[in-house]
Amino acid sequence: MKKEIQIFLTAIMFFTRIPCPKWVDHNPEFLTKSARYFSLVGIIVGGIGALVFYGFSFLFSTEIALLLSMASTIYTTGAFHEDGFADVCDGFGGGWTKEKILLIMKDSRLGTYGTVGIILILAVKFSALREVPHHVIPLTIITGHSLSRFIATTLIFTHPYVRDTEDSKAKPAAKSITLKTLIISASFGIAPIFFFNEPLIFLTLIPCYLAKMYLGAKFKKWLGGQTGDCAGATQQFCEIVFYLSIIALWKFI
């Protein structure tokens, strides 16, 4: 049990800014196994965003509450996945070979493609959540974070890690994972959907996974697999797809 707790806390420490005990470190073994808790981390991050939205919605407009909610999740994760999305935009926008794409993605500087990409994805995220019925926005935020992280985990399961450098901080977390790990991640990732009490919401799994397949095919074609940035970009993209799917499905609920 203590080992499992350490694996979970390793996931918390790696993917968020939430303080962890000093005895938790970036142990490669635990970091690789921590993939089973990616979706649970999503529930926690989404829960923070949902709580911020719910609290501030009593004081401010829906728009302001949503912006503060988005800011809280970005701060909680240190823009971890947003950074991955921006890197992928820069890499695939400016690179035409595997080596060039990986080199650009590793560059810490933000380019034009990354800047435009991050502005657009945040704008779409805000606009989509604004269209969701007010009473289900908190649950939608939580589910969006958990489900998108599960979908990103499936990318790690189906696509090999391709970056050759051994100094990559994300390498242990982005390496191949077992079917058991994927199933555990799925249980946390899909669980919030049950709280909608609407069977149609499960249909959102289809466009989310199709989005992952599209990105996965692109990553496979140009890189031969995936990197930590690719997983981060998948999480961000699938989170948006989930919100848009909720809006579309709600017309039939």
Side-chain angles (χ1 to χ4, degrees):
M1 178 60 71
K2 182 178 179 181
K3 182 178 180 180
E4 205 63 33
I5 292 175
Q6 187 166 356
I7 293 173
F8 167 66
L9 291 177
T10 298
I12 290 290
M13 180 184 63
F14 188 78
F15 290 104
T16 75
R17 289 178 168 178
I18 298 174
C20 291
K22 293 183 178 180
W23 45 267
V24 179
D25 56 23
H26 288 90
N27 184 303
E29 177 188 356
F30 292 152
L31 191 53
T32 299
K33 293 180 179 179
S34 69
R36 68 189 66 170
Y37 294 119
F38 288 177
S39 301
L40 181 55
V41 171
I43 292 177
I44 294 172
V45 174
I48 292 172
L51 186 61
V52 169
F53 170 79
Y54 181 77
F56 281 112
S57 63
F58 289 102
L59 301 174
F60 308 115
S61 66
T62 298
E63 290 79 6
I64 293 177
L66 278 174
L67 286 173
L68 292 173
S69 171
M70 290 171 59
S72 71
T73 58
I74 291 172
Y75 178 78
T76 300
T77 62
F80 190 83
H81 302 297
E82 288 81 2
D83 179 67
F85 178 82
D87 286 342
V88 167
C89 288
D90 278 334
F92 282 82
W96 294 99
T97 65
K98 173 182 176 179
E99 293 72 23
K100 185 63 175 179
I101 292 172
L102 290 175
L103 181 63
I104 294 175
M105 287 168 61
K106 191 175 179 61
D107 193 334
S108 60
R109 292 170 296 181
L110 185 62
T112 302
Y113 290 104
T115 301
V116 173
I118 204 67
I119 290 174
L120 287 176
I121 202 166
L122 291 176
V124 173
K125 185 181 298 188
F126 169 79
S127 300
L129 285 170
R130 180 64 185 86
E131 294 295 320
V132 173
H134 190 277
H135 68 285
V136 294
I137 288 178
L139 181 56
T140 300
I141 292 173
I142 294 172
T143 310
H145 279 272
S146 65
L147 180 59
S148 61
R149 282 167 173 78
F150 161 60
I151 299 297
T153 305
T154 69
L155 179 75
I156 301 173
F157 181 76
T158 58
H159 290 65
Y161 185 81
V162 296
R163 193 177 288 281
D164 296 327
T165 54
E166 294 295 326
D167 60 342
S168 176
K169 181 181 178 182
K171 182 175 181 179
K175 291 171 65 177
S176 60
I177 58 178
T178 64
L179 180 59
K180 177 183 177 181
T181 293
L182 188 67
I183 293 173
I184 295 174
S185 178
S187 66
F188 289 119
I190 298 173
I193 298 179
F194 287 93
F195 291 91
F196 281 94
N197 292 319
E198 291 288 351
L200 282 178
I201 301 300
F202 282 94
L203 292 176
T204 58
L205 289 167
I206 298 174
C208 285
Y209 197 77
L210 288 176
K212 173 260 176 176
M213 290 179 65
Y214 166 75
L215 291 177
K218 195 174 186 67
F219 298 150
K220 182 71 174 179
K221 175 182 178 180
W222 289 98
L223 302 179
Q226 55 83 27
T227 69
D229 285 333
C230 295
T234 301
Q235 184 277 318
Q236 286 290 294
F237 191 63
C238 290
E239 184 183 346
I240 295 296
V241 171
F242 172 75
Y243 296 149
L244 295 176
S245 300
I246 285 288
I247 296 172
L249 284 174
W250 210 261
K251 298 181 183 297
F252 303 96
I253 296 176

